[in-house]
């Protein structure tokens, strides 16, 4: 049997795919049960966090295992296999061990060095143990991963390379300001009472917020978390629990909102957040149009386009018509001027002109008579202006000029007001409608924006030291695993030798019935010592050889040389696994 992991994470898939593929608790249970029921796998464990979904299994066939695990992930995540496959990664045997150890050390986390993953690995192992899907291999693997992760955090400064996802998210909300200064005196609303939400609540309390309100679907869990916060020795924060239906009202009081639930739909829609913002304004006035993007505003509010299209059809930019428009003009573009609504002031119109002609044309425009009437300039239809520019391009090609679009001048956007509501969405799938970030007065940070921000985060020098620890631990685990693989064969060999000794002693007693107990015991002990000495060197050496890469074949050679019964070896292995699984049944 061999270790196989199939999964996807923030490194292989966009957040939108991770969000859709997220597994709720019931789906994880069903996935584990279906995996061990499938033919290639005998053990299974699921590691599902806000930015990764991985299925670990002990399989007897690589290709069949990959196909089966990929199919099961697609079925239980609800994302089609064809869509999911491009984002999946596969690790096998030593590479799978290396991957899990790296994950446990925080090297594969969105925020390098964060320690929350250790708790998530521990929870994954406990769930597999409760469902009896973790055998000896996965028990040993996950427990060793926990030890490796703890070693990395205790022996190196990997913690300095990054913070928890909560701390990193709060830093993003604070826009570079000191989190302690930014959070002091604020009122916080935490939605959810799981491990991530609890960490967020504790972090906010230590940061100095004045109040933490906890909302959760299960009221008992919210009350327990609020009580823990209120009783904390290292904080002085007011904490209380509220039901989920009180969230809209609490939003009008909150300055900071952190949401991390297991809900499959949105917990906070943009409409709910907008209503809460209106509730914060004393006079009730709220500019809804200011919250919408330019494409969502009414047509009358869309600002006119910059550039050439400011003149009415049949005129130039100075408002002149007919021959007056062409008098002394250095350009000879009758075909272009025939295009309705075209203005030669546009950048596209003059691109590619020789510098001298461009200067002459500019002087002509500046000195030409003003418009002969007072009416407002007409905004060109974008499609008509595009046709006019295409006509100019065709003419320029005919006369040998190559139009070159110059880089447009940057449009200065009006600065947004300072946020009054800071929202951190750590859920996967998301709890907060992404459209809320367009609301004036709201700063929304979610998993997707955290992934973008962390891509450029600096890594500490300790990362190299952690990588070396991982490499050493992977080699040691592989050696132990290969050595353990030959143990049942060695045990079967010694059992066979003991049976041979017992048979020969029985035969001796039949031939020498008058043998007294003292001599019988001495003869028996002598025969056992001879057998043990003959087997000692070969069995010790074969364990050493089996621990080396490629040493799995020594078990087969031992069985062949001593004609060991395969079923006897399998029985020893089953008994050993049953004993180990019984010992590891409890939480890690």
């Amino acid at each position: 049997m061999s270790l196989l992991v199939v999964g996807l994470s923030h490194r292989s898939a966009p957040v939108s795919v991770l969000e859709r593929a997220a597994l709720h608790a019931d789906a994880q249970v069903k996935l584990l049960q279906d995996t061990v029921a499938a033919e290639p796998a005998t053990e299974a464990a699921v590691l599902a966090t806000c930015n990764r979904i991985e299925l670990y299994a002990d399989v007897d066939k690589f290709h069949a295992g990959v196909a089966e695990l990929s199919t099961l992930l697609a079925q239980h995540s609800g994302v089609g296999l064809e869509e999911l496959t491009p984002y999946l990664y596969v690790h096998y045997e030593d590479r799978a061990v290396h991957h899990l150890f790296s994950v446990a050390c925080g090297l594969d986390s969105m925020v390098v060095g964060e320690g929350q993953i250790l708790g998530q690995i521990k929870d994954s192992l406990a769930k597999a143990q409760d469902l009896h899907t973790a055998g000896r291999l996965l028990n040993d693997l996950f427990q060793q991963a926990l030890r490796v992760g703890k070693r990395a955090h205790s022996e190196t400064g990997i913690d300095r390379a990054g913070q928890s996802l909560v701390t990193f998210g709060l830093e993003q909300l604070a826009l570079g300001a000191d989190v302690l200064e930014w959070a002091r005196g604020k009122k916080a609303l935490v939605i959810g009472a799981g491990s991530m939400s609890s960490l967020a609540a504790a972090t906010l309390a230590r940061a100095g917020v004045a109040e933490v309100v906890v909302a959760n679907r299960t009221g008992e869990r919210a009350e327990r978390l609020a009580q823990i916060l209120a009783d904390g020795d290292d904080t002085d924060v007011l904490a209380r629990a509220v039901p989920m239906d009180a969230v809209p009202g609490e939003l009008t009081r909150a300055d900071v909102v952190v949401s991390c639930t297991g809900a499959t739909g949105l917990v906070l829609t943009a409409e709910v957040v907008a209503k809460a913002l209106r509730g914060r304004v004393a006079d009730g006035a709220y500019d809804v149009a200011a919250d919408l993007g330019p494409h969502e505003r009414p047509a009358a509010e869309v600002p006119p386009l910059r550039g050439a299209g400011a003149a009415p059809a049949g005129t130039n930019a100075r408002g002149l018509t007919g021959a007056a428009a062409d008098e002394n003009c250095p350009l000879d573009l009758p075909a272009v001027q025939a295009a309705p609504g075209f203005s030669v002031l546009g950048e596209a119109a003059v691109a590619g002109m020789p510098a001298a002609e461009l200067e002459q044309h500019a002087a002509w425009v500046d000195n030409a008579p003003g418009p002969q009437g007072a009416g407002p300039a007409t905004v060109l239809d974008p499609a008509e202006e595009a046709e006019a520019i295409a006509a100019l391009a065709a003419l320029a090609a005919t006369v040998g000029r190559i139009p070159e679009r110059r880089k447009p001048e940057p449009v200065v956007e009006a600065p947004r007001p300072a946020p009054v509501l800071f929202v951190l969405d750590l859920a996967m799938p998301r709890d907060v409608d992404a459209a809320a970030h367009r609301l004036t007065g709201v700063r929304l940070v979610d998993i997707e924006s955290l992934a973008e921000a962390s891509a450029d985060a600096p890594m500490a020098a300790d990362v190299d030291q952690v990588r070396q620890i991982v490499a050493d631990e992977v080699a040691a685990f592989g050696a132990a695993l290969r050595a353990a693989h030959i143990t049942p064969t060695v045990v079967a060999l010694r059992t066979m030798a003991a049976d041979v000794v017992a048979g020969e002693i029985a035969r001796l007693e039949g031939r020498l019935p008058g043998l007294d107990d003292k001599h019988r015991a001495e003869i028996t002990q002598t025969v056992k010592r001879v057998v043990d000495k003959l087997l000692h060197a070969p069995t010790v050496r074969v364990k050493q050889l089996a621990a080396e890469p490629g040493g799995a074949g020594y078990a087969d050679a031992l069985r062949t040389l001593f004609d060991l019964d395969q079923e006897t070896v399998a029985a020893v292995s089953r008994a050993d696994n049953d004993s180990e699984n019984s010992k590891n049944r409890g939480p890690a």
Side-chain angles (χ1 to χ4, degrees), residues 32 103 257:
L32 287 173
V103 169
V257 179

Side-chain angles (χ1 to χ4, degrees), residues 189 213-216 240-253:
L189 170 63
V213 178
V214 182
N216 193 57
R240 57 189 175 90
V242 298
M244 287 295 289
D245 57 12
V247 165
E250 294 295 337
L251 277 176
T252 64
R253 303 177 62 254

